[in-house]
Amino acid sequence: MGSSHTKVTTASLLVTLGIVFGDIGTSPLYVMSAIFGKNVITSDLVLGGLSCIFWTLTLQATFKYVSLTLRADNHGEGGILSLYSLIRKNAPQWMIYVAMLGCAALLADGMITPAISLTASVEGLKSLTHAVPVLPIVIVILAGLFTFQQFGTDKIGKSFGPIMLVWFSMLFILGVISMGHNWHVLKAINPVYAWKILTMHPGAWVIVGAVFLSVTGAEAMYADLGHVGKTNIRITWIFVKTSLLVNYFGQGAWALNHMDGQMLNGLNPFFELMPRWFVGTGVVIAACASVVASQALISGSFSLINEAVKLETWFRVQILYPSKHRQQIFIPMINRLLFVGSVFIVLYFQTSLAMEAVYGMALNFTMLSTTLLLMFFLRHKLHWDWIRIGALTLLFLAIELSFLAANAHKLAHGAGFTMVLMLFFIAVMVIHYLAKHVLLRKKKFVDIHQYEDIITDVSSDLAIPKYATNIVYLTSAYSVHRMEKQILKSIYQKQPKRADAYWLLHFNETEVPFQQEYDFTEIVKGKIYRIDFNLGYKVKPNVREMFSNALEDLNKKGIIDIENRYESLRKHNINADFLFIVMRNTFNLDSDSPIREIFLLNAYSLLQKIEEPPEQYLGIDRNSLLVEYIALR
């Protein structure tokens, strides 16, 4: 994946359909049902609802995301954390919490989308017979979907594009046929109808909350920028938006022709567009499209957590690569969390109409977060003037805060569950982020040159048994001339560690997503070296591979000599040995510690019990590893 798909070809456009538009593409399954709800269907309701959908898709999806946000291209990558990475040097420090809010909302969305889209598609079978066991079928599909994640989507992923092409073609054809019986629905393009329903209908806020569901998945158009490129997204969006609008207008035409003056009473306008003989096939196509949409959200959640770990806003988790594509990752813990959450939503809310109350809130907060981050991007990266930025920000905030107010009525009907989910994710992120900063403050850093004599003396003292030829420590010091005092004590206190050379490794996270470079510094000639690995926020550290490659490169250039110091081994071309010492921090809290600090570190200690050990996350060979525990006070 990646760069090969950023060129515009027929194949790349097909891939874009399969990767980017699953979530927003399955919205017709439930949006019109949610708008009509328990209302009596009238011409004003239909035309007003359609007008709101048309202008929401135009202003939010087309203008905000396709036109503006896709410009925030972070070296080919997109997404809310990529956007934050672009602006964090210029933005206020508090913007990290805005990024966390958007990230938490997207994770919540990753639970809700599979539940509602699959339930809505399987419910289509009820138009044939009410005896269909919807919930068991949905749970079986969910179990298969989440189980399959560990194997990657290399082979089946190739079918996503064709599936979504069939899906959008079906949306378009069904919509055109239905509109053919009532072309008057096209009047809804006039924004006056949207204004009338928003100002005159007694259930306007409920309708607005339902309309907002039509842009679920708009964030994916930016998040998947790195997979397919902005041009592919913009071209494909023309077809996608046309198909969506034609289908929405087709559902509106059906409602006016068949349900004027009546209530839906459990009918789904989407499936009512289909001839009876086609319903079974339509349900299968809808279920396949829902699986594709769910797959995109799940994969997106994995990528999001991977980036959050790099930004130190999430604890370390085991990350696996089930295919040859490094961008395709699998995180077992997050997979289990999303599966349990999706199944709970299905079992608790039972129907897609009830789940609609859960939906919307998460996306609302994601969009608000993107709007605030986008404001700083337009200012500091595109150098727009504050007048234009202010006007756009006010436009988007007015729309999104209106939707948020409309969604607030859902709190008593299930949206509270979404808020609990988001608060859980935000709490984890904030606790981890703040606790890491507290621990960093507790570390004592010293000037290496003030202690180079003692390090040299330990290395030269033949009375001390040699601990290893090379000892490697991980350091969080940004300056190449500083290191943790704990490392110094590890070398000369208790059992002194004599070595021919001491190495310091430091990892810098850069804004370039897949950057992999290193800087070498000889701090004390022949005794103390430091390598700074400059890694993009999407690159997972792998000490075993990266350190070896750096050593070979330095050796070829003649900068260092990695030949074995022992003659018996050197004549067999066996390289020198390296021992990696990982220092795990423990902390002692006393009664004088601030309450905030006590709470943060106690909560952080709970996260440490489930996070991946640093040596495992960093890919250090366990056969060359020593773990030391250091108390921070």
Side-chain angles (χ1 to χ4, degrees):
M1 297 170 107
S3 59
S4 64
H5 288 153
T6 57
K7 296 179 181 178
V8 179
T9 64
T10 302
S12 69
L13 295 174
L14 195 61
V15 168
T16 303
L17 267 184
I19 292 177
V20 179
F21 299 107
D23 194 6
I24 198 168
T26 51
S27 297
L29 282 167
Y30 44 78
V31 169
M32 294 303 286
S33 294
I35 290 174
F36 296 151
K38 297 180 180 179
N39 294 307
V40 173
I41 294 174
T42 63
S43 177
D44 288 341
L45 176 63
V46 173
L47 295 178
L50 290 175
S51 187
C52 287
I53 290 173
F54 178 86
W55 288 104
T56 299
L57 283 171
T58 299
L59 292 174
Q60 286 296 106
T62 304
F63 182 46
K64 178 184 175 181
Y65 283 97
V66 175
S67 177
L68 283 180
T69 312
L70 285 181
R71 299 185 190 187
D73 185 335
N74 190 354
H75 300 277
E77 291 298 312
I80 198 158
L81 293 182
S82 293
L83 181 55
Y84 171 72
S85 296
L86 275 175
I87 66 164
R88 62 176 171 171
K89 288 183 179 178
N90 305 107
Q93 193 172 359
W94 55 266
M95 289 302 288
I96 182 64
Y97 300 105
V98 175
M100 287 183 195
L101 175 63
C103 184
L106 283 171
L107 289 173
D109 202 29
M111 279 188 185
I112 301 167
T113 294
I116 188 171
S117 58
L118 284 170
T119 304
S121 59
V122 175
E123 282 175 346
L125 292 173
K126 284 194 169 184
S127 60
L128 294 178
T129 171
H130 286 280
V132 176
V134 173
L135 298 188
I137 293 174
V138 172
I139 291 173
V140 168
I141 296 174
L142 283 173
L145 175 64
F146 282 97
T147 300
F148 189 78
Q149 298 303 313
Q150 62 189 305
F151 304 112
T153 57
D154 252 10
K155 293 181 180 179
I156 194 171
K158 295 176 183 177
S159 67
F160 287 174
I163 288 172
M164 296 312 294
L165 178 61
V166 171
W167 169 253
F168 286 115
S169 299
M170 183 180 80
L171 294 185
F172 183 83
I173 293 169
L174 291 175
V176 166
I177 293 172
S178 181
M179 273 200 300
H181 300 293
N182 195 334
W183 292 104
H184 294 294
V185 288
L186 291 176
K187 292 190 297 183
I189 294 174
N190 188 337
V192 169
Y193 289 98
W195 176 256
K196 284 175 63 177
I197 197 170
L198 295 179
T199 55
M200 300 174 63
H201 196 282
W205 283 117
V206 176
I207 293 169
V208 170
V211 166
F212 189 65
L213 299 179
S214 65
V215 285
T216 57
E219 188 73 29
M221 288 191 277
Y222 177 48
D224 288 318
L225 171 64
H227 292 97
V228 294
K230 68 179 75 173
T231 307
N232 281 305
I233 294 173
R234 284 172 172 164
I235 293 174
T236 312
W237 174 241
I238 298 170
F239 168 61
V240 170
K241 183 182 178 182
T242 302
S243 298
L244 290 173
L245 288 175
V246 166
N247 193 266
Y248 283 129
F249 278 67
Q251 291 186 48
W254 171 85
L256 287 178
N257 291 338
H258 298 88
M259 303 298 293
D260 194 13
Q262 305 177 56
M263 297 173 64
L264 281 181
N265 292 322
L267 295 178
N268 186 331
F270 177 80
F271 290 104
E272 295 303 318
L273 298 187
M274 300 178 183
R276 295 304 88 190
W277 59 267
F278 185 73
V279 170
T281 304
V283 168
V284 171
I285 295 173
C288 289
S290 298
V291 167
V292 173
S294 303
Q295 172 63 44
L297 262 292
I298 296 165
S299 298
S301 298
F302 294 158
S303 297
L304 205 61
I305 289 295
N306 186 34
E307 293 172 30
V309 170
K310 294 285 293 178
L311 286 171
E312 294 197 335
T313 55
W314 193 270
F315 57 90
R316 292 183 302 268
V317 288
Q318 183 184 27
I319 298 175
L320 304 176
Y321 298 87
S323 77
K324 62 183 178 181
H325 298 298
R326 187 167 180 78
Q327 285 174 276
Q328 190 175 112
I329 62 176
F330 172 66
I331 304 178
M333 178 186 291
I334 302 302
N335 193 62
R336 289 192 292 270
L337 189 65
L338 294 178
F339 172 66
V340 171
S342 295
V343 170
F344 175 82
I345 291 170
V346 170
L347 293 177
Y348 185 81
F349 292 97
Q350 303 279 313
T351 67
S352 61
L353 190 60
M355 291 176 205
E356 179 267 325
V358 189
Y359 219 17
M361 289 291 283
L363 177 67
N364 223 151
F365 283 106
T366 305
M367 287 189 168
L368 284 167
S369 301
T370 300
T371 296
L372 294 175
L373 294 170
L374 186 62
M375 177 177 66
F376 286 93
F377 171 80
L378 294 174
R379 177 61 181 168
H380 295 292
K381 293 297 181 179
L382 298 189
H383 309 293
W384 283 24
D385 59 81
W386 279 115
I387 295 176
R388 275 197 297 170
I389 293 171
L392 281 176
T393 303
L394 287 174
L395 171 65
F396 295 139
L397 287 180
I399 295 171
E400 289 156 13
L401 289 174
S402 297
F403 280 127
L404 183 62
N407 283 323
H409 84 277
K410 299 179 182 179
L411 287 172
H413 304 284
F417 176 76
T418 305
M419 298 303 295
V420 170
L421 272 180
M422 287 177 55
L423 287 173
F424 168 74
F425 290 130
I426 290 172
V428 170
M429 298 177 83
V430 170
I431 287 169
H432 186 271
Y433 178 76
L434 294 179
K436 292 287 281 189
H437 281 71
V438 169
L439 292 174
L440 190 62
R441 289 198 303 270
K442 285 179 173 288
K443 290 181 180 179
K444 294 180 176 64
F445 294 91
V446 297
D447 188 325
I448 296 174
H449 296 289
Q450 290 182 357
Y451 296 90
E452 65 178 82
D453 289 342
I454 189 171
I455 295 174
T456 302
D457 289 343
V458 169
S459 177
S460 305
D461 190 347
L462 298 179
I464 302 175
K466 185 180 285 189
Y467 212 81
T469 305
N470 297 274
I471 294 180
V472 185
Y473 289 95
L474 303 175
T475 179
S476 56
Y478 289 98
S479 170
V480 296
H481 299 292
R482 297 180 70 79
M483 68 178 177
E484 291 87 341
K485 194 170 184 179
Q486 289 86 353
I487 293 178
L488 190 66
K489 290 182 177 180
S490 173
I491 293 173
Y492 70 78
Q493 281 192 349
K494 295 182 181 177
Q495 182 182 359
K497 298 178 179 64
R498 183 165 74 88
D500 292 335
Y502 300 91
W503 295 75
L504 298 172
L505 297 189
H506 179 74
F507 292 90
N508 290 312
E509 187 224 297
T510 69
E511 295 176 5
V512 183
F514 294 100
Q515 181 180 355
Q516 292 191 54
E517 298 174 357
Y518 75 88
D519 296 315
F520 172 77
T521 307
E522 188 175 38
I523 301 172
V524 176
K525 189 169 180 59
K527 286 297 173 191
I528 304 176
Y529 306 104
R530 171 166 165 144
I531 295 181
D532 287 84
F533 290 102
N534 303 310
L535 306 179
Y537 61 88
K538 286 212 168 189
V539 178
K540 186 177 185 293
N542 187 332
V543 171
R544 187 187 297 108
E545 178 184 323
M546 294 175 178
F547 186 60
S548 298
N549 291 342
L551 289 180
E552 288 181 16
D553 186 45
L554 292 168
N555 187 54
K556 285 179 182 178
K557 294 176 180 177
I559 298 174
I560 62 168
D561 180 8
I562 59 173
E563 280 194 344
N564 206 299
R565 304 296 173 92
Y566 301 104
E567 177 62 32
S568 59
L569 297 175
R570 187 166 59 246
K571 70 180 184 181
H572 293 288
N573 296 319
I574 297 175
N575 289 334
D577 59 294
F578 287 81
L579 174 67
F580 292 85
I581 297 182
V582 172
M583 310 185 82
R584 292 190 191 171
N585 298 315
T586 60
F587 34 86
N588 297 321
L589 298 173
D590 52 47
S591 57
D592 295 330
S593 300
I595 294 176
R596 173 178 176 272
E597 191 173 289
I598 292 173
F599 169 77
L600 279 174
L601 294 183
N602 279 328
Y604 180 70
S605 66
L606 294 176
L607 294 180
Q608 281 187 306
K609 293 177 181 179
I610 59 174
E611 77 172 348
E612 188 177 27
E615 62 274 12
Q616 187 173 322
Y617 175 75
L618 293 171
I620 298 175
D621 188 349
R622 292 190 177 186
N623 295 319
S624 308
L625 172 69
L626 173 67
V627 177
E628 289 189 348
Y629 292 86
I630 304 294
L632 299 177
R633 297 180 183 278

